[in-house]
């Protein structure tokens, strides 16, 4: 069974940091591009960042550049999203998904979505 389990979310003050984990089972993450996505209440899902099967990264959202860093630990079969200098507008449910090939610019090929982890940035 292909599955993602996201964790690491929580309540944090503006300017704080969180590290999200995306633990995969049923496949090995080094064979796919893995993307982090988020969905805020009342908004559609948007792509945040992606890491390819060769560890090349793509920041889909300009606002996270310099603040968020995606990485992968193949031994743990887990992809991480280090989030620094968090802002209230980062509040959302963060989830991960995979696609074959490179990260690309289209979100449509991603599949096998995880359930997500809630990130709330508030004072």
């Amino acid at each position: 069974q292909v599955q993602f389990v996201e964790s690491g979310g929580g309540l944090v003050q503006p300017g704080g940091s969180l590290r999200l984990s995306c633990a995969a089972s049923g496949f090995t993450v080094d064979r796919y591009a893995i993307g982090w996505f988020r969905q805020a209440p009342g908004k559609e899902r948007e792509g945040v960042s992606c890491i390819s099967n060769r560890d090349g990264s793509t920041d889909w959202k300009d606002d996270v550049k310099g603040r968020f860093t995606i990485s992968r630990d193949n031994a743990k079969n887990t992809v991480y999203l280090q989030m620094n200098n968090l802002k209230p507008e980062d509040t959302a449910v963060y989830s991960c998904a995979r696609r074959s090939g490179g990260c690309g610019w289209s979100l449509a090929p991603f599949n096998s979505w995880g359930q997500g982890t809630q990130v709330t940035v508030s004072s």
Side-chain angles (χ1 to χ4, degrees):
Q1 181 73 25
V2 174
Q3 185 178 11
F4 284 113
V5 177
E6 299 93 340
S7 62
L11 176 64
V12 64
Q13 292 184 329
S17 298
L18 287 171
R19 189 181 73 159
L20 306 183
S21 298
C22 176
S25 60
F27 73 101
T28 53
V29 298
D30 62 355
R31 294 179 179 268
Y32 295 86
I34 311 296
W36 277 102
F37 305 81
R38 67 188 183 188
Q39 186 169 24
K43 297 184 178 180
E44 65 182 22
R45 193 195 309 270
E46 62 180 356
V48 178
S49 187
C50 179
I51 187 166
S52 74
N53 59 0
R54 308 184 83 168
D55 285 347
S57 64
T58 299
D59 294 320
W60 286 316
K61 190 171 180 62
D62 289 340
D63 186 54
V64 311
K65 293 180 179 179
R67 299 192 300 122
F68 292 7
T69 302
I70 191 169
S71 63
R72 171 170 44 221
D73 187 335
N74 292 330
K76 297 181 179 179
N77 209 33
T78 299
V79 175
Y80 302 96
L81 185 67
Q82 178 67 47
M83 305 187 296
N84 298 324
N85 193 25
L86 284 161
K87 305 175 181 179
E89 50 263 43
D90 295 320
T91 296
V93 174
Y94 285 72
S95 59
C96 50
R98 72 174 190 177
R99 65 164 289 178
S100 298
C103 291
W105 296 102
S106 175
L107 309 186
F110 285 86
N111 53 64
S112 302
W113 298 91
Q115 63 183 7
T117 183
Q118 177 70 51
V119 172
T120 302
V121 185
S122 176
S123 59

PDB file of all heavy atoms in Angstrom, residues 51-85:
ATOM      1  N   ILE A  51      11.144  18.114  -4.291  1.00  0.00           N
ATOM      2  CA  ILE A  51      12.488  17.575  -4.400  1.00  0.00           C
ATOM      3  C   ILE A  51      12.454  16.403  -5.373  1.00  0.00           C
ATOM      4  O   ILE A  51      11.581  15.537  -5.290  1.00  0.00           O
ATOM      5  CB  ILE A  51      13.049  17.164  -3.023  1.00  0.00           C
ATOM      6  CG1 ILE A  51      14.518  16.760  -3.140  1.00  0.00           C
ATOM      7  CG2 ILE A  51      12.214  16.065  -2.383  1.00  0.00           C
ATOM      8  CD1 ILE A  51      15.222  16.666  -1.801  1.00  0.00           C
ATOM      9  N   SER A  52      13.382  16.394  -6.293  1.00  0.00           N
ATOM     10  CA  SER A  52      13.423  15.355  -7.309  1.00  0.00           C
ATOM     11  C   SER A  52      14.106  14.111  -6.784  1.00  0.00           C
ATOM     12  O   SER A  52      14.655  14.090  -5.674  1.00  0.00           O
ATOM     13  CB  SER A  52      14.134  15.867  -8.560  1.00  0.00           C
ATOM     14  OG  SER A  52      15.532  15.951  -8.340  1.00  0.00           O
ATOM     15  N   ASN A  53      14.094  13.063  -7.590  1.00  0.00           N
ATOM     16  CA  ASN A  53      14.763  11.827  -7.190  1.00  0.00           C
ATOM     17  C   ASN A  53      16.279  11.943  -7.227  1.00  0.00           C
ATOM     18  O   ASN A  53      16.970  11.006  -6.845  1.00  0.00           O
ATOM     19  CB  ASN A  53      14.290  10.650  -8.047  1.00  0.00           C
ATOM     20  CG  ASN A  53      14.552  10.854  -9.532  1.00  0.00           C
ATOM     21  OD1 ASN A  53      15.086  11.874  -9.956  1.00  0.00           O
ATOM     22  ND2 ASN A  53      14.170   9.860 -10.324  1.00  0.00           N
ATOM     23  N   ARG A  54      16.787  13.063  -7.665  1.00  0.00           N
ATOM     24  CA  ARG A  54      18.214  13.349  -7.638  1.00  0.00           C
ATOM     25  C   ARG A  54      18.528  14.507  -6.700  1.00  0.00           C
ATOM     26  O   ARG A  54      19.589  15.105  -6.784  1.00  0.00           O
ATOM     27  CB  ARG A  54      18.723  13.641  -9.047  1.00  0.00           C
ATOM     28  CG  ARG A  54      18.349  12.558 -10.047  1.00  0.00           C
ATOM     29  CD  ARG A  54      18.936  12.811 -11.418  1.00  0.00           C
ATOM     30  NE  ARG A  54      20.317  12.350 -11.496  1.00  0.00           N
ATOM     31  CZ  ARG A  54      20.999  12.234 -12.619  1.00  0.00           C
ATOM     32  NH1 ARG A  54      20.424  12.547 -13.778  1.00  0.00           N
ATOM     33  NH2 ARG A  54      22.245  11.807 -12.600  1.00  0.00           N
ATOM     34  N   ASP A  55      17.593  14.816  -5.816  1.00  0.00           N
ATOM     35  CA  ASP A  55      17.709  15.810  -4.753  1.00  0.00           C
ATOM     36  C   ASP A  55      17.765  17.244  -5.257  1.00  0.00           C
ATOM     37  O   ASP A  55      18.120  18.151  -4.500  1.00  0.00           O
ATOM     38  CB  ASP A  55      18.915  15.527  -3.858  1.00  0.00           C
ATOM     39  CG  ASP A  55      18.679  14.358  -2.921  1.00  0.00           C
ATOM     40  OD1 ASP A  55      17.523  13.923  -2.782  1.00  0.00           O
ATOM     41  OD2 ASP A  55      19.658  13.884  -2.322  1.00  0.00           O
ATOM     42  N   GLY A  56      17.426  17.461  -6.498  1.00  0.00           N
ATOM     43  CA  GLY A  56      17.241  18.817  -6.946  1.00  0.00           C
ATOM     44  C   GLY A  56      15.918  19.360  -6.423  1.00  0.00           C
ATOM     45  O   GLY A  56      14.909  18.659  -6.410  1.00  0.00           O
ATOM     46  N   SER A  57      15.924  20.596  -5.980  1.00  0.00           N
ATOM     47  CA  SER A  57      14.736  21.178  -5.372  1.00  0.00           C
ATOM     48  C   SER A  57      14.124  22.241  -6.270  1.00  0.00           C
ATOM     49  O   SER A  57      14.822  22.908  -7.041  1.00  0.00           O
ATOM     50  CB  SER A  57      15.054  21.768  -4.006  1.00  0.00           C
ATOM     51  OG  SER A  57      15.973  22.840  -4.115  1.00  0.00           O
ATOM     52  N   THR A  58      12.829  22.380  -6.137  1.00  0.00           N
ATOM     53  CA  THR A  58      12.063  23.387  -6.858  1.00  0.00           C
ATOM     54  C   THR A  58      11.132  24.069  -5.882  1.00  0.00           C
ATOM     55  O   THR A  58      10.321  23.410  -5.233  1.00  0.00           O
ATOM     56  CB  THR A  58      11.250  22.757  -7.999  1.00  0.00           C
ATOM     57  OG1 THR A  58      12.126  22.136  -8.939  1.00  0.00           O
ATOM     58  CG2 THR A  58      10.428  23.825  -8.709  1.00  0.00           C
ATOM     59  N   ASP A  59      11.250  25.375  -5.770  1.00  0.00           N
ATOM     60  CA  ASP A  59      10.333  26.167  -4.956  1.00  0.00           C
ATOM     61  C   ASP A  59       9.245  26.696  -5.854  1.00  0.00           C
ATOM     62  O   ASP A  59       9.465  27.606  -6.651  1.00  0.00           O
ATOM     63  CB  ASP A  59      11.065  27.314  -4.262  1.00  0.00           C
ATOM     64  CG  ASP A  59      12.072  26.832  -3.234  1.00  0.00           C
ATOM     65  OD1 ASP A  59      11.771  25.864  -2.515  1.00  0.00           O
ATOM     66  OD2 ASP A  59      13.159  27.432  -3.146  1.00  0.00           O
ATOM     67  N   TRP A  60       8.062  26.117  -5.719  1.00  0.00           N
ATOM     68  CA  TRP A  60       6.954  26.544  -6.558  1.00  0.00           C
ATOM     69  C   TRP A  60       6.417  27.910  -6.154  1.00  0.00           C
ATOM     70  O   TRP A  60       5.909  28.646  -7.001  1.00  0.00           O
ATOM     71  CB  TRP A  60       5.822  25.517  -6.489  1.00  0.00           C
ATOM     72  CG  TRP A  60       6.090  24.263  -7.247  1.00  0.00           C
ATOM     73  CD1 TRP A  60       6.617  24.141  -8.499  1.00  0.00           C
ATOM     74  CD2 TRP A  60       5.817  22.929  -6.805  1.00  0.00           C
ATOM     75  NE1 TRP A  60       6.705  22.821  -8.868  1.00  0.00           N
ATOM     76  CE2 TRP A  60       6.208  22.050  -7.840  1.00  0.00           C
ATOM     77  CE3 TRP A  60       5.279  22.393  -5.640  1.00  0.00           C
ATOM     78  CZ2 TRP A  60       6.081  20.679  -7.743  1.00  0.00           C
ATOM     79  CZ3 TRP A  60       5.146  21.022  -5.531  1.00  0.00           C
ATOM     80  CH2 TRP A  60       5.541  20.181  -6.578  1.00  0.00           C
ATOM     81  N   LYS A  61       6.512  28.227  -4.879  1.00  0.00           N
ATOM     82  CA  LYS A  61       5.953  29.467  -4.369  1.00  0.00           C
ATOM     83  C   LYS A  61       7.077  30.417  -4.003  1.00  0.00           C
ATOM     84  O   LYS A  61       7.924  30.109  -3.161  1.00  0.00           O
ATOM     85  CB  LYS A  61       5.063  29.183  -3.152  1.00  0.00           C
ATOM     86  CG  LYS A  61       4.257  30.380  -2.706  1.00  0.00           C
ATOM     87  CD  LYS A  61       3.245  29.995  -1.663  1.00  0.00           C
ATOM     88  CE  LYS A  61       2.429  31.195  -1.223  1.00  0.00           C
ATOM     89  NZ  LYS A  61       1.650  31.756  -2.362  1.00  0.00           N
ATOM     90  N   ASP A  62       7.077  31.586  -4.624  1.00  0.00           N
ATOM     91  CA  ASP A  62       8.152  32.546  -4.411  1.00  0.00           C
ATOM     92  C   ASP A  62       8.256  32.984  -2.956  1.00  0.00           C
ATOM     93  O   ASP A  62       9.354  33.261  -2.464  1.00  0.00           O
ATOM     94  CB  ASP A  62       7.960  33.766  -5.301  1.00  0.00           C
ATOM     95  CG  ASP A  62       8.225  33.479  -6.765  1.00  0.00           C
ATOM     96  OD1 ASP A  62       8.900  32.478  -7.065  1.00  0.00           O
ATOM     97  OD2 ASP A  62       7.761  34.264  -7.614  1.00  0.00           O
ATOM     98  N   ASP A  63       7.142  33.039  -2.269  1.00  0.00           N
ATOM     99  CA  ASP A  63       7.133  33.554  -0.913  1.00  0.00           C
ATOM    100  C   ASP A  63       7.904  32.668   0.064  1.00  0.00           C
ATOM    101  O   ASP A  63       8.312  33.135   1.129  1.00  0.00           O
ATOM    102  CB  ASP A  63       5.691  33.727  -0.429  1.00  0.00           C
ATOM    103  CG  ASP A  63       5.610  34.398   0.921  1.00  0.00           C
ATOM    104  OD1 ASP A  63       6.192  35.496   1.078  1.00  0.00           O
ATOM    105  OD2 ASP A  63       4.982  33.840   1.839  1.00  0.00           O
ATOM    106  N   VAL A  64       8.115  31.399  -0.265  1.00  0.00           N
ATOM    107  CA  VAL A  64       8.814  30.508   0.656  1.00  0.00           C
ATOM    108  C   VAL A  64      10.303  30.438   0.378  1.00  0.00           C
ATOM    109  O   VAL A  64      11.050  29.852   1.177  1.00  0.00           O
ATOM    110  CB  VAL A  64       8.215  29.087   0.628  1.00  0.00           C
ATOM    111  CG1 VAL A  64       6.706  29.140   0.766  1.00  0.00           C
ATOM    112  CG2 VAL A  64       8.624  28.331  -0.629  1.00  0.00           C
ATOM    113  N   LYS A  65      10.751  31.014  -0.708  1.00  0.00           N
ATOM    114  CA  LYS A  65      12.168  30.987  -1.032  1.00  0.00           C
ATOM    115  C   LYS A  65      12.969  31.695   0.056  1.00  0.00           C
ATOM    116  O   LYS A  65      12.648  32.794   0.464  1.00  0.00           O
ATOM    117  CB  LYS A  65      12.423  31.637  -2.389  1.00  0.00           C
ATOM    118  CG  LYS A  65      11.853  30.860  -3.556  1.00  0.00           C
ATOM    119  CD  LYS A  65      12.143  31.550  -4.884  1.00  0.00           C
ATOM    120  CE  LYS A  65      11.591  30.746  -6.050  1.00  0.00           C
ATOM    121  NZ  LYS A  65      11.834  31.416  -7.344  1.00  0.00           N
ATOM    122  N   GLY A  66      14.016  31.028   0.506  1.00  0.00           N
ATOM    123  CA  GLY A  66      14.824  31.563   1.581  1.00  0.00           C
ATOM    124  C   GLY A  66      14.289  31.273   2.962  1.00  0.00           C
ATOM    125  O   GLY A  66      14.988  31.519   3.952  1.00  0.00           O
ATOM    126  N   ARG A  67      13.063  30.766   3.058  1.00  0.00           N
ATOM    127  CA  ARG A  67      12.476  30.430   4.348  1.00  0.00           C
ATOM    128  C   ARG A  67      12.264  28.921   4.515  1.00  0.00           C
ATOM    129  O   ARG A  67      12.441  28.397   5.608  1.00  0.00           O
ATOM    130  CB  ARG A  67      11.129  31.135   4.527  1.00  0.00           C
ATOM    131  CG  ARG A  67      11.219  32.651   4.507  1.00  0.00           C
ATOM    132  CD  ARG A  67       9.910  33.288   4.973  1.00  0.00           C
ATOM    133  NE  ARG A  67       8.787  32.923   4.123  1.00  0.00           N
ATOM    134  CZ  ARG A  67       7.680  32.312   4.553  1.00  0.00           C
ATOM    135  NH1 ARG A  67       7.546  31.998   5.840  1.00  0.00           N
ATOM    136  NH2 ARG A  67       6.698  32.029   3.708  1.00  0.00           N
ATOM    137  N   PHE A  68      11.867  28.260   3.452  1.00  0.00           N
ATOM    138  CA  PHE A  68      11.584  26.824   3.503  1.00  0.00           C
ATOM    139  C   PHE A  68      12.663  26.057   2.755  1.00  0.00           C
ATOM    140  O   PHE A  68      13.137  26.498   1.698  1.00  0.00           O
ATOM    141  CB  PHE A  68      10.232  26.506   2.861  1.00  0.00           C
ATOM    142  CG  PHE A  68       9.032  27.024   3.604  1.00  0.00           C
ATOM    143  CD1 PHE A  68       9.158  27.858   4.701  1.00  0.00           C
ATOM    144  CD2 PHE A  68       7.763  26.666   3.189  1.00  0.00           C
ATOM    145  CE1 PHE A  68       8.044  28.338   5.372  1.00  0.00           C
ATOM    146  CE2 PHE A  68       6.644  27.124   3.848  1.00  0.00           C
ATOM    147  CZ  PHE A  68       6.783  27.957   4.938  1.00  0.00           C
ATOM    148  N   THR A  69      13.028  24.901   3.285  1.00  0.00           N
ATOM    149  CA  THR A  69      14.006  24.037   2.656  1.00  0.00           C
ATOM    150  C   THR A  69      13.491  22.607   2.655  1.00  0.00           C
ATOM    151  O   THR A  69      13.151  22.067   3.710  1.00  0.00           O
ATOM    152  CB  THR A  69      15.362  24.093   3.376  1.00  0.00           C
ATOM    153  OG1 THR A  69      15.847  25.437   3.396  1.00  0.00           O
ATOM    154  CG2 THR A  69      16.377  23.213   2.653  1.00  0.00           C
ATOM    155  N   ILE A  70      13.453  22.001   1.489  1.00  0.00           N
ATOM    156  CA  ILE A  70      13.021  20.621   1.369  1.00  0.00           C
ATOM    157  C   ILE A  70      14.245  19.718   1.302  1.00  0.00           C
ATOM    158  O   ILE A  70      15.272  20.085   0.723  1.00  0.00           O
ATOM    159  CB  ILE A  70      12.113  20.433   0.135  1.00  0.00           C
ATOM    160  CG1 ILE A  70      11.437  19.065   0.149  1.00  0.00           C
ATOM    161  CG2 ILE A  70      12.883  20.651  -1.161  1.00  0.00           C
ATOM    162  CD1 ILE A  70      10.333  18.923  -0.893  1.00  0.00           C
ATOM    163  N   SER A  71      14.146  18.547   1.904  1.00  0.00           N
ATOM    164  CA  SER A  71      15.248  17.598   1.897  1.00  0.00           C
ATOM    165  C   SER A  71      14.696  16.183   2.003  1.00  0.00           C
ATOM    166  O   SER A  71      13.515  15.980   2.298  1.00  0.00           O
ATOM    167  CB  SER A  71      16.240  17.876   3.032  1.00  0.00           C
ATOM    168  OG  SER A  71      15.622  17.719   4.297  1.00  0.00           O
ATOM    169  N   ARG A  72      15.561  15.214   1.765  1.00  0.00           N
ATOM    170  CA  ARG A  72      15.148  13.811   1.792  1.00  0.00           C
ATOM    171  C   ARG A  72      16.198  12.981   2.503  1.00  0.00           C
ATOM    172  O   ARG A  72      17.405  13.180   2.317  1.00  0.00           O
ATOM    173  CB  ARG A  72      14.923  13.299   0.362  1.00  0.00           C
ATOM    174  CG  ARG A  72      14.697  11.802   0.254  1.00  0.00           C
ATOM    175  CD  ARG A  72      14.241  11.390  -1.134  1.00  0.00           C
ATOM    176  NE  ARG A  72      15.007  12.042  -2.174  1.00  0.00           N
ATOM    177  CZ  ARG A  72      14.478  12.527  -3.287  1.00  0.00           C
ATOM    178  NH1 ARG A  72      13.169  12.422  -3.502  1.00  0.00           N
ATOM    179  NH2 ARG A  72      15.249  13.107  -4.185  1.00  0.00           N
ATOM    180  N   ASP A  73      15.744  12.046   3.315  1.00  0.00           N
ATOM    181  CA  ASP A  73      16.599  11.068   3.957  1.00  0.00           C
ATOM    182  C   ASP A  73      16.181   9.710   3.422  1.00  0.00           C
ATOM    183  O   ASP A  73      15.182   9.139   3.859  1.00  0.00           O
ATOM    184  CB  ASP A  73      16.475  11.126   5.475  1.00  0.00           C
ATOM    185  CG  ASP A  73      17.476  10.239   6.179  1.00  0.00           C
ATOM    186  OD1 ASP A  73      17.946   9.253   5.584  1.00  0.00           O
ATOM    187  OD2 ASP A  73      17.804  10.521   7.352  1.00  0.00           O
ATOM    188  N   ASN A  74      16.926   9.197   2.470  1.00  0.00           N
ATOM    189  CA  ASN A  74      16.547   7.945   1.835  1.00  0.00           C
ATOM    190  C   ASN A  74      16.592   6.771   2.804  1.00  0.00           C
ATOM    191  O   ASN A  74      15.797   5.837   2.690  1.00  0.00           O
ATOM    192  CB  ASN A  74      17.450   7.671   0.632  1.00  0.00           C
ATOM    193  CG  ASN A  74      17.232   8.646  -0.504  1.00  0.00           C
ATOM    194  OD1 ASN A  74      16.124   9.159  -0.690  1.00  0.00           O
ATOM    195  ND2 ASN A  74      18.266   8.911  -1.272  1.00  0.00           N
ATOM    196  N   ALA A  75      17.520   6.802   3.758  1.00  0.00           N
ATOM    197  CA  ALA A  75      17.613   5.721   4.732  1.00  0.00           C
ATOM    198  C   ALA A  75      16.354   5.621   5.573  1.00  0.00           C
ATOM    199  O   ALA A  75      15.957   4.529   5.984  1.00  0.00           O
ATOM    200  CB  ALA A  75      18.841   5.906   5.617  1.00  0.00           C
ATOM    201  N   LYS A  76      15.726   6.763   5.852  1.00  0.00           N
ATOM    202  CA  LYS A  76      14.490   6.784   6.623  1.00  0.00           C
ATOM    203  C   LYS A  76      13.254   6.820   5.744  1.00  0.00           C
ATOM    204  O   LYS A  76      12.137   6.822   6.259  1.00  0.00           O
ATOM    205  CB  LYS A  76      14.481   7.987   7.563  1.00  0.00           C
ATOM    206  CG  LYS A  76      15.589   7.957   8.606  1.00  0.00           C
ATOM    207  CD  LYS A  76      15.520   9.171   9.517  1.00  0.00           C
ATOM    208  CE  LYS A  76      16.612   9.120  10.562  1.00  0.00           C
ATOM    209  NZ  LYS A  76      16.585  10.311  11.451  1.00  0.00           N
ATOM    210  N   ASN A  77      13.462   6.873   4.431  1.00  0.00           N
ATOM    211  CA  ASN A  77      12.359   6.926   3.478  1.00  0.00           C
ATOM    212  C   ASN A  77      11.414   8.078   3.811  1.00  0.00           C
ATOM    213  O   ASN A  77      10.189   7.935   3.784  1.00  0.00           O
ATOM    214  CB  ASN A  77      11.594   5.599   3.448  1.00  0.00           C
ATOM    215  CG  ASN A  77      10.951   5.329   2.102  1.00  0.00           C
ATOM    216  OD1 ASN A  77      11.473   5.717   1.055  1.00  0.00           O
ATOM    217  ND2 ASN A  77       9.805   4.654   2.120  1.00  0.00           N
ATOM    218  N   THR A  78      12.002   9.221   4.099  1.00  0.00           N
ATOM    219  CA  THR A  78      11.255  10.365   4.584  1.00  0.00           C
ATOM    220  C   THR A  78      11.726  11.636   3.889  1.00  0.00           C
ATOM    221  O   THR A  78      12.921  11.814   3.649  1.00  0.00           O
ATOM    222  CB  THR A  78      11.422  10.514   6.104  1.00  0.00           C
ATOM    223  OG1 THR A  78      10.911   9.351   6.754  1.00  0.00           O
ATOM    224  CG2 THR A  78      10.677  11.737   6.625  1.00  0.00           C
ATOM    225  N   VAL A  79      10.776  12.501   3.589  1.00  0.00           N
ATOM    226  CA  VAL A  79      11.054  13.820   3.041  1.00  0.00           C
ATOM    227  C   VAL A  79      10.672  14.856   4.087  1.00  0.00           C
ATOM    228  O   VAL A  79       9.637  14.723   4.757  1.00  0.00           O
ATOM    229  CB  VAL A  79      10.290  14.056   1.727  1.00  0.00           C
ATOM    230  CG1 VAL A  79      10.491  15.481   1.230  1.00  0.00           C
ATOM    231  CG2 VAL A  79      10.760  13.068   0.670  1.00  0.00           C
ATOM    232  N   TYR A  80      11.490  15.886   4.221  1.00  0.00           N
ATOM    233  CA  TYR A  80      11.284  16.905   5.234  1.00  0.00           C
ATOM    234  C   TYR A  80      11.041  18.260   4.590  1.00  0.00           C
ATOM    235  O   TYR A  80      11.460  18.529   3.473  1.00  0.00           O
ATOM    236  CB  TYR A  80      12.508  17.008   6.150  1.00  0.00           C
ATOM    237  CG  TYR A  80      12.869  15.724   6.840  1.00  0.00           C
ATOM    238  CD1 TYR A  80      13.847  14.885   6.313  1.00  0.00           C
ATOM    239  CD2 TYR A  80      12.236  15.344   8.014  1.00  0.00           C
ATOM    240  CE1 TYR A  80      14.182  13.704   6.933  1.00  0.00           C
ATOM    241  CE2 TYR A  80      12.566  14.162   8.645  1.00  0.00           C
ATOM    242  CZ  TYR A  80      13.540  13.345   8.109  1.00  0.00           C
ATOM    243  OH  TYR A  80      13.870  12.168   8.741  1.00  0.00           O
ATOM    244  N   LEU A  81      10.374  19.105   5.327  1.00  0.00           N
ATOM    245  CA  LEU A  81      10.233  20.500   4.964  1.00  0.00           C
ATOM    246  C   LEU A  81      10.580  21.337   6.185  1.00  0.00           C
ATOM    247  O   LEU A  81       9.803  21.398   7.141  1.00  0.00           O
ATOM    248  CB  LEU A  81       8.818  20.825   4.478  1.00  0.00           C
ATOM    249  CG  LEU A  81       8.612  22.245   3.959  1.00  0.00           C
ATOM    250  CD1 LEU A  81       9.400  22.468   2.672  1.00  0.00           C
ATOM    251  CD2 LEU A  81       7.134  22.540   3.729  1.00  0.00           C
ATOM    252  N   GLN A  82      11.749  21.953   6.155  1.00  0.00           N
ATOM    253  CA  GLN A  82      12.166  22.854   7.218  1.00  0.00           C
ATOM    254  C   GLN A  82      11.587  24.227   6.928  1.00  0.00           C
ATOM    255  O   GLN A  82      11.867  24.811   5.881  1.00  0.00           O
ATOM    256  CB  GLN A  82      13.689  22.924   7.307  1.00  0.00           C
ATOM    257  CG  GLN A  82      14.215  23.881   8.363  1.00  0.00           C
ATOM    258  CD  GLN A  82      13.897  23.441   9.770  1.00  0.00           C
ATOM    259  OE1 GLN A  82      14.099  22.288  10.118  1.00  0.00           O
ATOM    260  NE2 GLN A  82      13.387  24.361  10.581  1.00  0.00           N
ATOM    261  N   MET A  83      10.800  24.739   7.844  1.00  0.00           N
ATOM    262  CA  MET A  83      10.121  26.009   7.670  1.00  0.00           C
ATOM    263  C   MET A  83      10.622  26.982   8.725  1.00  0.00           C
ATOM    264  O   MET A  83      10.451  26.752   9.922  1.00  0.00           O
ATOM    265  CB  MET A  83       8.605  25.838   7.770  1.00  0.00           C
ATOM    266  CG  MET A  83       8.038  24.797   6.817  1.00  0.00           C
ATOM    267  SD  MET A  83       6.224  24.767   6.822  1.00  0.00           S
ATOM    268  CE  MET A  83       5.932  24.265   8.523  1.00  0.00           C
ATOM    269  N   ASN A  84      11.236  28.057   8.266  1.00  0.00           N
ATOM    270  CA  ASN A  84      11.758  29.089   9.141  1.00  0.00           C
ATOM    271  C   ASN A  84      11.041  30.407   8.885  1.00  0.00           C
ATOM    272  O   ASN A  84      10.457  30.609   7.821  1.00  0.00           O
ATOM    273  CB  ASN A  84      13.265  29.271   8.928  1.00  0.00           C
ATOM    274  CG  ASN A  84      14.066  28.036   9.241  1.00  0.00           C
ATOM    275  OD1 ASN A  84      13.759  27.290  10.167  1.00  0.00           O
ATOM    276  ND2 ASN A  84      15.128  27.805   8.462  1.00  0.00           N
ATOM    277  N   ASN A  85      11.130  31.286   9.862  1.00  0.00           N
ATOM    278  CA  ASN A  85      10.511  32.606   9.747  1.00  0.00           C
ATOM    279  C   ASN A  85       9.061  32.500   9.294  1.00  0.00           C
ATOM    280  O   ASN A  85       8.632  33.153   8.340  1.00  0.00           O
ATOM    281  CB  ASN A  85      11.317  33.489   8.796  1.00  0.00           C
ATOM    282  CG  ASN A  85      10.922  34.941   8.869  1.00  0.00           C
ATOM    283  OD1 ASN A  85      10.402  35.408   9.888  1.00  0.00           O
ATOM    284  ND2 ASN A  85      11.154  35.678   7.788  1.00  0.00           N
TER     285      ASN A  85
END
